Every structure is written in C-alpha cells, then in structure tokens.
Amino acid sequence: MTKRFGFTLAEVLITLGIIGVVAAMTMPTLMNSTQGAQYKAAYKKALSALGQAVTLNVALDDSSFADTVAGTAGSTADASGVPTVASILNSRMNVVKTTKGDSSTSTGVGYTITDAAVPSATKLSQDAANTTLFFNDGITFTFPATSAACSSGTAGTTDNICYGYIDVNGAKGPNKVVSCSNANATAENCVAENPTDVYPVKFYNQTVLPNSPAARAVLYGK
C-alpha cells in the first residue's frame, strides 16, 4: 500500500496564521521605508530643479536670485520689468498653479502644514503674504513674496539670504516638516531616519540649499 505524505488542514492554517502575523509586523516598517525613500528622492530632485532653473535664467537673461525685487503674493509676473523670485522660476519651470498663503495658518488658500514650528520661522512668515508655486510633478515651493535681492558672498555687501520650503508632494499629506529622529540632536549629529515631505531651504544667487539639520541630514546622509 502506497503512503501519501502531506499537510493537514490544521498545519496549513497555523502556517498561514504565522505568515500573517509576520507580515502585519513588517509591512508598516517596509511601507514607511519605501515612502521615506520616495520623499528623499523627490527632495533631491526638487533642489536640483530649482538650482538648474536659476542657472538657466542666468545663462539666458543674465539674472539670478540676487537680481530680483519684491513681488506680489500669488503672482509670477515681473515687477515693473524687473524679475522677482516667482517670475524667474515661472519662466524656467513648469508651474501649473500659484496661490497665496500656505502653511500653519488657515487662510483659505494654499494648504495647511501640520507643524507650526518651521525652522527659521522668524525669517519665513507663515501667512497670506507667501507665494506657493505648484509644479507639474506635484512638488511645491513656498517663500515670502517679498523675497528679493537674495545674495551671499559678495565682497563689501551684506548677505541677504532668502528662505522658503519645499513640499515634495504638495497638498497631499502628511504635510509634515522633516525633523531629527535622534534624541538631543544637534546640527552635527542629526539623523533623519523617517524622512517626511516638507523641507526648509535657503536660496541666494544661483544656489538652493537645505536650511535645517534634518533637511541636511536627508540630503547628505546615506
């Protein structure tokens, strides 16, 4: 008589139950890691695109962020024929929408950032005076409309660095400013293990750089 070997129904159910428990424990971590990698890649892409846009403008129109004058919130037009930050980016990037306001205040325009404590808050007002540019890839860039003559490093002049922030997925959540994940983090040892979607930046001349320890950690970390 031939013997047939196999699994009983109970054994199969127990195995499936174990697989389910393991999957339930690991899937959230895997999803967070994947999403964090997407945020990180989009952030690097946005920094590069903004830098390339102003560099292209220098090549074609001979004007950088240092040559700008204050604009009007929500407007991407030149001011009396002189470029603004918004008009430079609008002319060199695919801007599909522009709004006033943005951030932790509910102004009825733009959208809301959940974190009220944005780095360099004293330098980046969070109200309807901000301009938010929406690009065709879903990324947004927000900055005070009054940003002008954004420059640094010119001999005999005072630095006038401008500030804003990038949201790599626009109005879509979580709209949370990136932060250090390690306790008692400093500018030197900050670790951002779980990148989020909002990144403070500073910009001047032809340069766009991260403007918080966590934003730098995401950009320069492994």
Side-chain angles (χ1 to χ4, degrees):
M1 182 177 178
T2 302
K3 292 185 178 180
R4 298 182 180 276
F5 296 95
F7 298 104
T8 66
L9 178 60
E11 290 172 331
V12 171
L13 292 177
I14 291 172
T15 302
L16 291 176
I18 293 173
I19 293 173
V21 170
V22 173
M25 294 173 61
T26 58
M27 282 302 293
T29 301
L30 178 61
M31 291 181 66
N32 287 339
S33 177
T34 301
Q35 193 172 52
Q38 293 175 340
Y39 291 153
K40 182 177 180 179
Y43 167 48
K44 291 183 176 182
K45 173 186 174 183
L47 280 177
S48 176
L50 290 168
Q52 289 175 7
V54 67
T55 299
L56 179 61
N57 202 73
V58 171
L60 297 178
D61 289 343
D62 196 27
S63 58
S64 70
F65 291 138
D67 304 303
T68 57
V69 295
T72 303
S75 172
T76 56
D78 286 351
S80 301
V82 182
T84 64
V85 171
S87 70
I88 286 179
L89 297 178
N90 183 64
S91 65
R92 305 302 172 200
M93 301 180 71
N94 292 318
V95 178
V96 297
K97 177 183 175 183
T98 306
T99 65
K100 296 187 294 182
D102 53 78
S103 56
S104 61
T105 57
S106 299
T107 59
V109 290
Y111 59 97
T112 301
I113 300 298
T114 55
D115 285 2
V118 176
S120 296
T122 57
K123 301 171 184 175
L124 173 59
S125 60
Q126 294 187 318
D127 54 35
N130 287 347
T131 291
T132 299
L133 304 178
F134 291 73
F135 303 115
N136 67 338
D137 55 4
I139 292 171
T140 64
F141 180 46
T142 299
F143 53 92
T146 54
S147 299
C150 309
S151 61
S152 177
T154 303
T157 63
T158 302
D159 288 350
N160 184 42
I161 297 174
C162 296
Y163 300 87
Y165 57 84
I166 292 168
D167 188 334
V168 301
N169 59 357
K172 182 179 178 181
N175 294 331
K176 184 177 178 63
V177 179
V178 68
S179 61
C180 302
S181 53
N182 50 320
N184 301 316
T186 66
E188 292 75 23
N189 70 359
C190 174
V191 176
E193 294 179 346
N194 299 304
T196 49
D197 56 342
V198 180
Y199 296 84
V201 297
K202 57 184 178 181
F203 56 99
Y204 52 88
N205 302 338
Q206 302 177 49
T207 303
V208 184
L209 294 172
N211 188 44
S212 74
R216 286 189 290 272
V218 173
L219 179 62
Y220 302 123
K222 295 181 180 181

